[in-house]
Amino acid sequence: MIELRLPSPLAELRDERLGDIRVLLKRDDLIHPEVPGNKWRKLKYNVAAARDLGARTLLTFGGAYSNHLRATAAVGHFGGFATIGVVRGEEHLPLNPSLAYAEQHGMRLTYLDRTSYRARSSDEVINRLRREFGDFYLIPEGGSNTAALLGCAELPAEIAEPFDVLVCAVGTGGTLAGVAAGLEPRQVAIGVPVLKASLEADVAGLQRAAYGQRVGNWRLEDGYHFGGYAKRTPELDGFVDDFEARHGPRLDWVYEAKMMYALFDQVRRGAFAAGTTVVALIS
Ligand SMILES: *Cc1c(COP(=O)(O)O)cnc(C)c1O
């Protein structure tokens, strides 16, 4: 079985630029070397539901560099499920490291053209996949569904220190939607979108599906996508290098670098009152 480090460690970030703001890193990236923490939290109750239903195969969707496809392959491999990864776009050989890892861990890869991929939740596409692959437990792109929110909602209670604000990166929004639902009423979650699209409706929609309404105090802090998903700039690269030199961890530039950049920028702009404790989620 898969061995996990839970609760994930909490470490104070000591940096003179933070002034009177206390920042704690919630190191979900240390839960498992091969599964980013939020991906594991999102899969936890999906895997339990798949088991309860007697499913033997997990099928899910992702782009070619998806951490979620990788994580699903690992969870299937260690948890005894066959896995099918439906990848957006065409096959490119040799496989990139994410897809090579997925395949090495038993994931069967199949490809959908971009038009079909956009319709991936439609009955037509799902039925076509069922005809081709037989029965499966379906997990949406990024793993974000109601079961995923319940897993992420457990995170705030793991944080043993009092805190006021939790900051996380936002891709599909499942992590923010779940974490916000687990906050105490006086706490707030701030999501930093790593893509250009407006994600407010996605996060609220995930919460409505899971809880029937918007829950918890949360908001998005736009303006830190650096050109869009998986886009980077010399400024962002410089920030990642500088953070590594000061603190050790090398931030993943697709997600965590943008989140951490936003946090430092918000501190510099005076967005937080003196004495605020902020938890930065590193997935
Ligand atoms: C997937 C991922 C995210 C984004 O999570 P969502 O729930 O899709 O918003 C953030 N950080 C890392 C490292 C990830 O792999």
Side-chain angles (χ1 to χ4, degrees), residues 36 38-39 42 67 144 169-175 252 255-256 283:
N38 71 344
K39 297 301 180 288
K42 291 200 279 187
N67 284 337
S144 291
V170 179
T172 60
T175 304
D252 148 47
Y255 292 104
E256 312 315 349
S283 274

Side-chain angles (χ1 to χ4, degrees), residues 1-239:
M1 242 340 265
I2 191 159
E3 221 172 281
L4 301 167
R5 186 161 173 200
L6 284 167
S8 60
L10 195 66
E12 181 158 1
L13 186 69
R14 290 183 195 282
D15 190 310
E16 76 280 357
R17 295 170 296 176
L18 296 170
D20 293 334
I21 311 302
R22 181 160 189 246
V23 173
L24 304 171
L25 302 182
K26 176 69 169 159
R27 295 291 306 272
D28 260 19
D29 58 323
L30 301 178
I31 288 179
H32 189 276
E34 296 170 21
V35 183
N38 71 344
K39 297 301 180 288
W40 178 79
R41 290 186 193 276
K42 291 200 279 187
L43 285 167
K44 177 181 171 189
Y45 289 114
N46 276 297
V47 165
R51 275 222 175 84
D52 288 348
L53 292 167
R56 304 171 66 173
T57 303
L58 310 175
L59 178 141
T60 195
F61 300 88
Y65 290 90
S66 164
N67 284 337
H68 166 67
L69 284 181
R70 242 186 97 104
T72 305
V75 162
H77 173 77
F78 294 113
F81 289 94
T83 54
I84 298 165
V86 183
V87 186
R88 181 181 60 230
E90 287 161 18
E91 183 178 30
H92 293 283
L93 294 173
L95 294 176
N96 71 47
S98 296
L99 294 182
Y101 174 94
E103 199 174 67
Q104 279 153 19
H105 288 73
M107 181 171 265
R108 184 160 165 200
L109 299 174
T110 183
Y111 296 82
L112 270 190
D113 65 82
R114 279 158 204 279
T115 309
S116 303
Y117 193 88
R118 268 194 296 277
R120 64 190 171 277
S121 318
S122 69
D123 288 345
E124 194 206 320
V125 170
I126 302 296
N127 288 336
R128 206 197 315 158
L129 290 167
R130 289 210 192 276
R131 278 197 299 278
E132 191 173 348
F133 298 106
D135 226 12
F136 50 74
Y137 179 90
L138 180 80
I139 302 174
E141 183 183 57
S144 291
N145 58 8
T146 291
L149 267 58
L150 302 182
C152 292
E154 295 177 345
L155 187 147
E158 266 184 39
I159 301 171
E161 305 241 357
F163 68 95
D164 308 295
V165 180
L166 188 147
V167 182
C168 68
V170 179
T172 60
T175 304
L176 174 64
V179 162
L183 294 176
E184 289 171 21
R186 47 161 213 90
Q187 297 171 325
V188 61
I190 300 175
V192 178
V194 301
L195 49 156
K196 253 187 203 162
S198 168
L199 295 167
E200 181 89 21
D202 295 79
V203 179
L206 285 163
Q207 287 197 332
R208 263 198 312 280
Y211 304 105
Q213 59 184 5
R214 187 177 165 131
V215 284
N217 303 315
W218 61 268
R219 63 182 171 83
L220 296 175
E221 195 62 57
D222 287 315
Y224 297 101
H225 59 67
F226 289 87
Y229 183 72
K231 296 283 196 308
R232 60 210 284 189
T233 65
E235 191 185 359
L236 186 67
D237 290 343
F239 178 78

